[in-house]
Amino acid sequence: MSGAKKVKDDIAQRAAVLMHGAAEVISLPELEQRLKLGRPLRIKLGLDPTAPDLHLGHSLVLKKLRDFQRDGHTVIFLVGDFTAMIGDPTGRSETRKPLTREEISTNAETYRSQAFKILDPDRTEVRFNSEWMDEMGVRRLIQLAARQSVARMLERDDFEKRLEAEEPLFLHELLYPLIQAYDSVALGADVELGGTDQKFNLLVGRDLQRSMSHEPQIVMTMPLLEGLDGVRKMSKSLGNYVGITESADEMFGKLMSVSDTLMLRYYELLTDTPTAEIEKIRKHEIHPMEAKKRLAETIITEYHGAAAARAARHHFESRFQRGEIPRDAQVFRIASALWICELMKQLKFAPSTSEARRLLGQGAVRVDGKTITDVNFRFVPGEHEVIEVGKRRVARIKP
RNA sequence: GGAGAGGUUCCCGAGUGGCCAAAGGGAGCAGACUGUAAAUCUGCCGGCUUAUGCCUUCGGAGGUUCGAAUCCUCCCCUCUCCA
C-alpha cells in the first residue's frame, strides 16, 4: 500500500468514527476533504445562555465535540449573548423575555463550567457573538438580510407551522437564523454541530458562508434525546431532564423512572453498549429492572465516577426497594411542636398549606412509618422523628 | 387606513349576567397495582390554621348591576382579509 493511499484510508476511517452516532452529516465527502487539510478544524457549537443547566440531551453534542477534540481539532463554544439579549424566540411559539447582560454572563459562566465536565478546556475557545454583532450596525445588518429571501426563511418547519396555525411570527425571528449563520462566517467555522432541530439554521450558515466566499461549513446533526416522559425532547423547561450536575442519587432515581422502551433508546444514545448487548435487553434476556440499573450506573459513572455510581445503586435499593429510611436523609431542626402543614411547607415538601392538606387527605404523609390523615396533626420533635411525603420526600426532624 | 375574529387558571380549550375557582383534555401530584417501568383504575390539581367560610384569578383600566369571565366605555396585544 502506498503512503498516499494509507493517508486516504486513515482519513476515511477518522471521518467514519467522527460520524458515528450522528443523525446526519452534510456532507461526508466534504468532511473527508476538510480533514485532509491536516490542520486543526474549527468546530462550532452555539448555545443560548437562557436556561443555564446542561442535561443529558446536551451531552450527546458535547461528547461528539470531545471526539473532535481528541483528534486535535478546536471546539468553539459560542455563547449567543447578543441573541439572548434581544429575546430568543427560536423553537417557541411565544417570545421569551430578554435577559439582562448580568443574567447572561452568569448563565454563560454556568454553561462553561458544566460543559468542561465533558470538553477539554485546552482545546476550547469560548466566544460571544456580541463581539461582532454589537458592532454590526443597521446598514450591514440590512446588507446581510439581503442575502436570503423571505421564502427561503419560511421554509423552516416551525415558521411554516406557525404561519399555518395563524400564530404570531415576528420579523426579528426571521433574522435569527441569519445571525446564527453570520456567527459561522465570523468564526470561520469548518464544522457546526447541533441537534436535528437545528438543521435549518446550520444550513443557512452554509449558504451564507458560500455567498460571502467562505468555505461552507460541514453540518453535523445529533439525534434529539427524548426526556424522561419518553415523548417530548429533553428540556429544562419541560422538567423532563437529567442535569449533568445533579447528584448521583438524583440521577439514579430519575433514570430508574424511565419506561422500558425509553431505556433502550438511552442505551443506544447515551452509552457505548454494543448492539448485541442491547438486543439481549430488548429480548428480555436480562431483567429490565437490572438492565435499567446498569444503564443508570453507566451514565452516572461518566459524571461522578464508578464508586459514586455504585453507591447510588445501593442507596436506591435500600431506599426504594426495601423502603428503608436513608441514614443520610436531610436533617431538619425545629425547637417545638409544629403544625404538620407548616412543617411540610418549611421542608418544601408542599408549596402551600392547601397542597399540604390535600396530601394529608390523600394518605401521602407518613410520620415514623404511620400514615397521618389528621390535618391538625402536630409534629413534636423528640417524640416524632421521620416524616415522609409521597415516595421521594423524606426528612429526619430533630429538636 | 378599512372590515372581521380573538386574548380564560401550567398548556390546549369550553364557558356569553347568578348553579363559576370556572366543562373537557394534556401535563403534574397522590393512592392502588408493580420492577419508584409501562399500561390501567381512583382521587387531587389558586390561596387562606382548622372553613355549607373568606380572599385572589378569566389581556389592562374604569363603569352598569343586589350580583360580571360573561353587559358598556376606553386602552394594549395577536390573527385574517382588503388597501
Side-chain angles (χ1 to χ4, degrees):
Chain A
M1 192 188 283
S2 74
K5 174 92 164 53
K6 185 170 186 315
V7 167
K8 211 176 150 193
D9 284 351
D10 279 354
I11 283 174
Q13 202 189 346
R14 288 324 305 157
V17 169
L18 289 170
M19 236 186 91
H20 176 78
E24 191 175 14
V25 177
I26 303 168
S27 67
L28 184 57
E30 282 180 58
L31 178 61
E32 287 175 351
Q33 205 159 20
R34 202 68 64 99
L35 287 169
K36 219 179 286 175
L37 298 176
R39 63 169 170 85
L41 299 182
R42 296 170 66 73
I43 319 297
K44 174 192 170 201
L45 173 72
L47 281 170
D48 279 305
T50 40
D53 263 328
L54 295 184
H55 51 63
L56 294 182
H58 298 108
S59 79
L60 283 181
V61 180
L62 291 173
K63 287 200 307 204
K64 179 51 69 188
L65 289 173
R66 189 177 58 190
D67 291 346
F68 276 96
Q69 288 184 325
R70 286 180 176 163
D71 279 6
H73 303 295
T74 305
V75 163
I76 306 160
F77 194 75
L78 178 71
V79 179
D81 63 335
F82 178 83
T83 14
M85 265 186 295
I86 307 171
D88 168 25
T90 305
R92 308 208 114 224
S93 44
E94 63 188 70
T95 312
R96 272 184 196 158
K97 57 173 168 295
L99 297 176
T100 65
R101 203 169 267 281
E102 206 161 77
E103 287 169 317
I104 288 167
S105 65
T106 316
N107 292 353
E109 191 40 54
T110 313
Y111 258 137
R112 201 174 126 103
S113 60
Q114 292 182 11
F116 286 160
K117 279 174 161 285
I118 295 174
L119 295 179
D120 172 3
D122 293 336
R123 291 193 187 279
T124 305
E125 218 180 273
V126 180
R127 302 287 289 274
F128 295 83
N129 67 354
S130 60
E131 241 177 88
W132 45 90
M133 289 311 299
D134 277 349
E135 308 302 312
M136 180 173 270
V138 180
R139 183 191 305 265
R140 284 181 51 218
L141 179 65
I142 291 174
Q143 285 167 350
L144 188 64
R147 292 178 182 272
Q148 289 286 326
S149 74
V150 171
R152 167 82 178 106
M153 284 300 132
L154 291 180
E155 283 171 20
R156 196 170 108 161
D157 190 50
D158 72 311
F159 287 166
E160 202 183 322
K161 279 190 183 136
R162 282 160 64 182
L163 238 31
E164 188 76 18
E166 305 195 338
E167 278 165 12
L169 179 61
F170 292 86
L171 260 183
H172 73 291
E173 302 187 55
L174 254 28
L175 256 24
Y176 268 85
L178 208 55
I179 291 174
Q180 186 174 335
Y182 184 75
D183 292 341
S184 290
V185 173
L187 290 166
D190 290 299
V191 178
E192 181 164 7
L193 258 74
T196 48
D197 57 343
Q198 285 291 308
K199 183 172 166 180
F200 179 87
N201 291 354
L202 305 186
L203 287 173
V204 176
R206 244 172 105 80
D207 286 352
L208 191 68
Q209 284 170 314
R210 211 175 348 232
S211 109
M212 297 178 86
S213 310
H214 284 62
E215 275 298 301
Q217 65 187 7
I218 289 118
V219 162
M220 183 179 280
T221 56
M222 298 300 293
L224 288 181
L225 187 71
E226 292 88 343
L228 296 170
D229 54 28
V231 180
R232 298 166 299 176
K233 77 167 185 177
M234 184 173 282
S235 92
K236 192 185 182 194
S237 57
L238 293 172
N240 61 357
Y241 71 109
V242 179
I244 65 172
T245 57
E246 288 188 79
S247 74
D249 285 344
E250 280 172 304
M251 284 186 173
F252 205 99
K254 285 187 177 183
L255 290 168
M256 286 306 287
S257 76
V258 133
S259 79
D260 291 357
T261 319
L262 189 60
M263 165 177 72
L264 292 166
R265 180 90 175 135
Y266 279 13
Y267 258 108
E268 281 164 8
L269 294 181
L270 294 170
T271 72
D272 297 323
T273 312
T275 318
E277 188 72 14
I278 296 175
E279 273 316 301
K280 275 193 197 167
I281 299 167
R282 197 188 305 277
K283 289 187 205 134
H284 289 265
E285 284 172 31
I286 300 171
H287 190 288
M289 189 184 58
E290 178 54 29
K292 213 177 286 176
K293 285 180 183 171
R294 286 186 203 168
L295 171 72
E297 267 193 81
T298 308
I299 293 170
I300 293 166
T301 300
E302 281 184 55
Y303 300 99
H304 296 284
R310 223 172 305 120
R313 178 186 178 129
H314 293 321
H315 176 266
F316 177 85
E317 288 166 348
S318 142
R319 170 78 187 99
F320 297 107
Q321 302 198 302
R322 294 196 296 275
E324 295 163 4
I325 304 301
R327 212 164 297 140
D328 59 343
Q330 93 167 271
V331 173
F332 192 76
R333 291 184 187 278
I334 52 176
S336 54
L338 194 59
W339 182 36
I340 186 104
C341 292
E342 185 54 35
L343 178 63
M344 285 163 72
K345 253 172 43 175
Q346 289 191 15
L347 287 165
K348 301 232 162 61
F349 285 0
S352 66
T353 309
S354 301
E355 178 66 15
R357 285 167 170 280
R358 278 176 220 126
L359 288 166
L360 254 339
Q362 293 178 128
V365 182
R366 285 174 309 285
V367 169
D368 296 325
K370 241 186 88 192
T371 303
I372 303 294
T373 47
D374 176 16
V375 180
N376 298 311
F377 184 87
R378 296 187 78 74
F379 195 99
V380 185
E383 188 180 327
H384 307 301
E385 199 188 354
V386 175
I387 177 167
E388 294 171 88
V389 177
K391 291 185 252 195
R392 307 172 198 213
R393 290 156 280 187
V394 214
R396 217 177 268 283
I397 311 297
K398 302 219 160 132

